[in-house]
């Protein structure tokens, strides 16, 4: 009698590099939303895995800890923010145009990384005490310098009012721009550029020199 051939078992295909990167990006997006909603300390790896629809052990295939996930979320956000800011600051625009461009770029970042912005606002004061997150303090110093120098240049060039307290103006602009992460949702009625335009029309009428 002829012997039956054993069925060939095909090994599962290893995901491509592109697929693995896409899955990693998806998991970071899930983690960012959970961190933003529940707080970093209150979030466990199991919580993130549950939201991602996977076992906690499977998450460790992609990341070695929730600290690694948080670091990558924040670094990605800040790297993209500074790519935009550095382009603006190197463009040779006048102080008013620089301020407008920085505000617009900020709203674009909120659109791209709303959850990361929310995490940064809530957690950065505690995180900067850890060596792993020292880059947050470095970014904050650069951020303050960029905005203050723009406002100071505007006063010196008589584009902004001479009696403007630039530090107070900086804090006002900083806080009122980034607090938008608490209510903004991508894909809403207004684009980030439109929100920036409306915002700037209110802010600049208060600090620009009137003709």
């Amino acid at each position: 009698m002829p012997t039956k051939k054993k069925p060939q078992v095909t090994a599962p295909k290893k995901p491509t590099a592109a697929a693995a990167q896409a899955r990693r990006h998806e998991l970071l997006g899930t983690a960012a939303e959970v961190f933003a909603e529940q707080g970093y300390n209150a979030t466990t790896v199991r919580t993130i895995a549950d939201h991602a629809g996977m076992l906690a052990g499977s998450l460790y295939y992609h990341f070695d800890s929730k600290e690694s996930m948080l670091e990558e979320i924040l670094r990605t956000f800040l790297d993209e923010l500074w790519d935009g800011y550095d382009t603006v600051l190197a463009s040779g625009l006048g102080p008013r145009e620089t301020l407008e461009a920085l505000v617009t770029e900020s709203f674009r970042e909120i659109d791209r990384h709303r959850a990361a912005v929310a995490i940064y606002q809530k957690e950065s004061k505690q995180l900067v005490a850890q060596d792993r997150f020292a880059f947050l303090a470095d970014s904050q110093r650069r951020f303050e310098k960029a905005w203050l120098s723009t406002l100071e240049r505007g006063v010196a060039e008589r584009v902004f009012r001479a009696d403007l307290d630039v530090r107070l103006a900086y804090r006002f602009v900083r806080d009122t721009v980034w607090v938008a992460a608490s209510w903004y949702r991508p894909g809403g009625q207004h684009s980030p550029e439109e929100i920036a335009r409306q915002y700037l029309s209110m802010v600049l009428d208060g600090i620009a020199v009137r003709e």
Side-chain angles (χ1 to χ4, degrees), residues 68-85:
S68 294
M69 299 184 80
L70 181 62
E71 181 181 1
E72 188 163 340
I73 289 166
L74 293 176
R75 282 191 182 276
T76 299
F77 154 56
L78 290 174
D79 285 348
E80 289 192 17
L81 176 70
W82 281 107
D83 281 346
Y85 273 18

Side-chain angles (χ1 to χ4, degrees), residues 23 26-27 30-31 34-35 38 43-63 66 69:
R23 180 55 171 160
E26 180 184 348
L27 291 173
T30 299
V34 178
F35 288 145
Q38 300 188 12
T43 300
T44 63
V45 170
R46 181 178 295 277
T47 306
I48 298 169
D50 288 345
H51 279 76
M54 64 195 303
L55 297 174
S58 300
L59 194 60
Y60 285 109
Y61 173 80
H62 300 275
F63 305 96
K66 72 171 188 175
M69 299 184 80

